[in-house]
């Protein structure tokens, strides 16, 4: 199946710094990518939908200026957590459908990034 | 909000079939039912999906009721490696929201 590569797998940073997470579709083009956040023992929460060449669509309650999403190419989307604080510590996961725009496409997930803010 | 309801947890004996139910009473006619699973600290893994017909692949079978308001994922011979959280999702256009899922524990 299609592969979505996410880096880094884990990152530890100081409070107030920014962290960038990359999500790449390795063998297919992804015009759309989804970004999720997951706290321990909870389900995945959709944060935003990233669209190649246009602005991301954020879910209600997700701060656009804090979680910057860039989808500059058909194979790369990035999530930057700006001025990170301990409450931003979480597991971040990206995903991409193999056929954007269809409701029966498969969604492939990255391996996730564990962010710990000290 | 997620459009599905699942039991929070289930146990299954190793080698037996695991039947995981999901209610999706508000599903629309063109929305597919997807199943994913997540093993601890990993990205979710695709299992199977369907619209209205029953589906089977190398991993599992998906049984969708005729009115499409509920479905059941069947793992025919559960192994210890099938212990995971299983998510049932109703897929709309550019919309993939996860519910709470079912934590399946396969016991020896």
């Amino acid at each position: 199946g299609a592969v979505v590569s996410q880096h880094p797998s884990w990152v530890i940073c100081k409070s107030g710094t920014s962290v960038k997470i990359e999500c790449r579709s390795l063998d297919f083009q992804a015009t759309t990518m989804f970004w999720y956040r997951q706290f321990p023992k909870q389900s995945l929460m959709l944060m935003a939908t990233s669209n190649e060449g246009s602005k991301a669509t954020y879910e209600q309650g997700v701060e656009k200026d804090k979680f910057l999403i860039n989808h500059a190419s058909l194979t790369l989307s990035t999530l930057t957590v700006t001025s990170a604080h301990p409450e931003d510590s979480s597991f971040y996961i990206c995903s991409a459908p193999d056929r954007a725009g269809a409701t029966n496409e498969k969604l492939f997930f990255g391996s996730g990034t564990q962010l710990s803010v000290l | 909000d997620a459009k599905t309801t699942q039991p929070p947890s289930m146990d299954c004996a190793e080698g037996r079939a695991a039947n995981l139910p999901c209610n999706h009473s508000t599903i629309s006619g063109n929305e597919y039912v997807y199943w994913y699973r997540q093993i601890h600290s990993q990205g979710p893994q695709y299992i199977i999906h369907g619209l209205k017909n029953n589906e089977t692949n190398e991993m599992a079978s998906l049984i969708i009721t005729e009115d499409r308001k509920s479905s059941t994922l069947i793992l025919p011979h559960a192994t210890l490696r099938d212990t995971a959280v299983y998510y049932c999702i109703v897929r709309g256009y550019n919309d993939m929201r996860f519910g709470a899922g079912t934590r399946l524990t396969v016991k020896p």
Side-chain angles (χ1 to χ4, degrees):
Chain A
V3 176
V4 173
S5 176
Q6 184 173 346
H7 293 282
S9 298
W10 56 271
V11 57
I12 300 173
C13 69
K14 293 182 178 180
S15 185
T17 61
S18 295
V19 174
K20 179 185 285 188
I21 302 169
E22 293 189 347
C23 182
R24 295 179 184 273
S25 55
L26 295 186
D27 50 2
F28 67 103
Q29 294 182 335
T31 57
T32 300
M33 289 189 178
F34 300 100
W35 286 95
Y36 296 85
R37 179 168 55 182
Q38 185 176 35
F39 293 108
K41 297 188 178 181
Q42 294 187 21
S43 183
L44 285 76
M45 184 191 78
L46 180 65
M47 298 176 65
T49 302
S50 130
N51 301 295
E52 188 269 334
S54 64
K55 292 183 178 180
T57 303
Y58 289 82
E59 295 299 301
Q60 190 173 8
V62 178
E63 299 176 57
K64 301 178 182 180
D65 295 333
K66 181 164 188 63
F67 299 99
L68 301 179
I69 291 175
N70 184 281
H71 195 152
S73 77
L74 288 172
T75 60
L76 174 64
S77 176
T78 61
L79 167 67
T80 301
V81 183
T82 62
S83 186
H85 291 284
E87 58 265 30
D88 297 323
S89 297
S90 186
F91 191 56
Y92 293 86
I93 310 171
C94 68
S95 67
D98 60 353
R99 287 179 291 153
T103 56
N104 63 340
E105 83 283 2
K106 296 178 184 178
L107 199 63
F108 295 95
F109 286 81
S111 54
T113 298
Q114 181 63 54
L115 171 64
S116 297
V117 184
L118 304 179
Chain B
D1 293 334
K3 303 177 182 178
T4 61
T5 304
Q6 298 176 253
S9 64
M10 292 182 65
D11 290 342
C12 177
E14 187 179 18
R16 304 296 294 270
N19 297 283
L20 292 89
C22 178
N23 287 321
H24 32 79
S25 59
T26 61
I27 192 171
S28 299
N30 62 346
E31 292 180 322
Y32 282 73
V33 178
Y34 282 76
W35 283 84
Y36 285 80
R37 71 181 183 185
Q38 185 180 28
I39 297 171
H40 182 62
S41 297
Q42 297 182 23
Q45 175 191 22
Y46 167 83
I47 301 173
I48 198 168
H49 74 284
L51 183 63
K52 54 184 178 180
N53 296 321
N54 297 337
E55 302 288 343
T56 297
N57 62 21
E58 65 279 3
M59 290 183 68
S61 294
L62 173 60
I63 308 298
I64 302 175
T65 58
E66 191 170 343
D67 62 8
R68 304 210 322 124
K69 293 185 177 181
S70 65
S71 61
T72 301
L73 177 74
I74 301 173
L75 306 179
H77 305 287
T79 70
L80 298 179
R81 289 180 296 178
D82 291 323
T83 292
V85 178
Y86 287 76
Y87 296 100
C88 168
I89 301 163
V90 169
R91 177 78 167 90
Y93 177 74
N94 268 2
D95 178 1
M96 183 67 87
R97 290 182 173 80
F98 284 71
T102 296
R103 182 173 297 277
L104 174 68
T105 302
V106 181
K107 298 184 175 181

